């Protein structure tokens, strides 16, 4: 998936994924104009496709750029010089460094693409050395977005831990993030939790609608699954000794079709609440008043996505540029 961020000031940044797994999308140049017309000032891209990157050149949009999983072995086995060459040829040849906010090293590697797991942290370290050599290590932060399923025992959030089988990969990543003041990136989809555990998760809890008894976790109370999911990561990191690491939600969203409770009305309810809470720095019960930077998935529906039918229907905009529902990004 590729990504866009809408900023609200004050407040945490809000973004949207710009995915291109489809055969019917408008050209990237048209997508960039659409994003600009909606006052979107940050974008996450999940790969370094040159034409897409060039479309953002000088657009006034900051970028989170993904390193494809398949590029990790070469980056991890190389040197800082190898990483500099990779950055220059794959990113900085197409967009200037001052447009790059994050580099996301792989996506959901640890559980969904485990062959590449040993290559994640070495790649990050080499890229960080390269950025430091280029004088960019403070302005461009590195992380590696992970699926929510890397944590277990998430109910209640305070019991959450990282999957023990991932310990050898997670701890070095957390150490790097701590040392470089970089965020842990998590892909959080309450919709998926709802459809897979409908007997335990109410639609009101998944959609921020309240109405039921809050989930009690010691002195904390949760009235929505999004906050509980974010705080589960906070608790899990704290358990490993890294309680000060920020959480950035690198993907979240709700589909408009293709599955149970998938509708434009529900997508508006979910994404609207996510935007409002970020813009107002609501935070979570464990970290109140600390706004959660978040990226909504996605810009368009993607008709070539594989998996469940609903995966094709996360688009906030239609192919003609009209909003699928009246979501405000402020």
């Amino acid at each position: 998936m590729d990504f866009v961020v809408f900023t609200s000031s004050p407040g945490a940044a809000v973004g949207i994924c710009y995915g291109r797994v489809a055969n019917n999308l408008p050209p990237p140049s048209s997508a960039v104009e659409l994003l600009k017309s909606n006052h979107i000032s940050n974008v996450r891209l999940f790969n370094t496709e040159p034409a897409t990157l060039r479309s953002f050149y000088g657009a006034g949009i900051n970028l989170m750029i993904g390193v494809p999983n398949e590029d990790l072995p070469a980056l991890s086995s190389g040197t800082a010089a190898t990483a500099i060459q990779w950055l220059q040829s794959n990113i900085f040849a197409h967009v200037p460094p001052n447009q790059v906010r994050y580099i996301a090293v792989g996506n959901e590697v640890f559980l969904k693409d485990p062959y590449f797991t040993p290559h994640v942290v070495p790649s990050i370290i080499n890229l960080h050395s390269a950025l430091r050599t280029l004088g960019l290590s403070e302005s461009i932060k590195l992380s590696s977005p992970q699926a929510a399923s890397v944590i277990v025992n998430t109910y209640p959030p305070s019991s959450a831990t990282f999957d023990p089988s991932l310990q050898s990969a997670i701890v070095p990543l957390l150490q790097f993030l701590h040392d470089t003041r970089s965020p842990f990136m998590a892909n959080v989809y309450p919709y998926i939790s709802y459809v897979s555990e409908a007997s335990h998760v109410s639609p009101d809890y998944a959609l921020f609608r309240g109405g039921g008894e809050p989930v009690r976790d010691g002195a904390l109370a949760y009235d929505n699954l999004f906050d509980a999911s974010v705080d589960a990561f906070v608790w899990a990191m704290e358990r490993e000794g890294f309680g000060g690491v920020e959480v950035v939600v690198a993907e979240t969203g709700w589909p408009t079709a293709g599955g149970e409770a998938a509708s434009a009305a529900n997508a508006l309810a979910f994404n609207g609440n996510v935007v409002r809470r970020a813009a107002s720095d609501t935070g979570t019960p464990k970290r109140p008043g600390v706004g959660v930077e978040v990226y909504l998935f996605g810009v368009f529906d993607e008709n070539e996505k594989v998996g469940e039918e609903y995966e094709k229907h996360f688009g906030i905009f239609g192919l003609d540029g009209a909003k699928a529902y009246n979501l405000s990004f402020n």
Side-chain angles (χ1 to χ4, degrees):
M1 298 179 184
D2 297 347
F3 228 14
V4 185
V5 177
F6 316 88
T7 56
S8 304
S9 184
V14 179
I16 192 174
C17 303
Y18 173 32
R20 295 189 52 80
V21 186
N23 61 15
N24 60 351
L25 298 181
S29 57
S30 297
V32 170
E33 290 306 312
L34 173 65
L35 301 173
K36 288 168 63 178
S37 70
N38 282 274
H39 310 291
I40 293 162
S41 58
N42 299 273
V43 176
R44 177 186 174 189
L45 305 171
F46 286 78
N47 58 47
T48 56
E49 198 278 314
T52 301
L53 278 176
R54 286 195 294 269
S55 296
F56 286 93
Y57 186 96
I61 294 174
N62 300 316
L63 299 172
M64 177 196 292
I65 299 174
V67 179
N69 293 355
E70 57 269 22
D71 285 9
L72 300 183
L75 280 169
S76 69
S77 62
T79 63
T82 308
I84 288 173
Q85 179 58 39
W86 189 93
L87 290 168
Q88 300 284 22
S89 59
N90 288 279
I91 295 180
F92 301 144
H94 311 300
V95 291
N98 64 4
Q99 274 190 258
V100 182
R101 185 178 181 200
Y102 295 119
I103 295 176
V105 182
N107 189 48
E108 299 192 340
V109 170
F110 292 167
L111 280 182
K112 295 195 174 182
D113 224 348
Y115 169 80
F116 297 107
T117 293
H119 302 288
V120 170
V121 172
S123 294
I124 288 175
I125 290 171
N126 281 339
L127 286 166
H128 185 257
S129 295
L131 291 172
R132 192 169 58 237
T133 299
L134 296 170
L136 298 170
S137 59
E138 291 301 317
S139 60
I140 300 175
K141 294 297 183 180
L142 293 154
S143 191
S144 183
Q146 299 299 327
S149 49
V150 298
I151 53 174
V152 295
N153 303 324
T154 57
Y155 183 88
S158 65
S159 68
T161 63
F162 287 103
D163 186 324
S165 69
L166 303 176
Q167 201 83 1
S168 62
I170 285 286
V171 172
L173 174 62
L174 294 176
Q175 186 69 61
F176 173 85
L177 300 178
H178 172 269
D179 292 348
T180 59
R181 300 185 303 279
S182 302
F184 186 94
M185 293 183 174
N187 298 339
V188 174
Y189 284 96
Y191 176 77
I192 296 175
S193 299
Y194 168 68
V195 297
S196 62
E197 302 178 48
S199 61
H200 302 292
V201 179
S202 74
D204 288 342
Y205 189 60
L207 288 164
F208 296 88
R209 287 177 174 159
E213 273 296 308
V215 172
R216 294 287 172 181
D217 188 359
L220 305 180
Y222 292 88
D223 61 7
N224 69 84
L225 182 55
F226 181 86
D227 282 355
S229 300
V230 171
D231 276 356
F233 276 100
V234 176
W235 282 105
M237 289 193 294
E238 193 172 281
R239 191 160 272 116
E240 299 299 333
F242 299 100
V245 174
E246 176 190 3
V247 176
V248 166
V249 175
E251 296 177 30
T252 193
W254 197 280
T256 58
E260 182 183 352
S263 68
N266 284 347
L268 174 59
F270 179 82
N271 286 333
N273 275 298
V274 168
V275 170
R276 282 190 292 273
R277 294 168 66 82
S280 62
D281 277 336
T282 300
T284 64
K286 184 154 175 62
R287 290 180 172 175
V290 180
V292 178
E293 182 175 346
V294 62
Y295 297 85
L296 305 179
F297 200 89
V299 179
F300 302 116
D301 282 356
E302 297 174 76
N303 66 359
E304 293 187 324
K305 295 276 286 186
V306 298
E308 300 292 339
E309 177 63 24
Y310 66 74
E311 298 222 28
K312 302 176 181 179
H313 300 285
F314 278 85
I316 294 172
F317 296 95
L319 298 178
D320 60 357
K323 287 181 181 178
Y325 45 90
N326 191 27
L327 179 66
S328 170
F329 297 105
N330 297 307

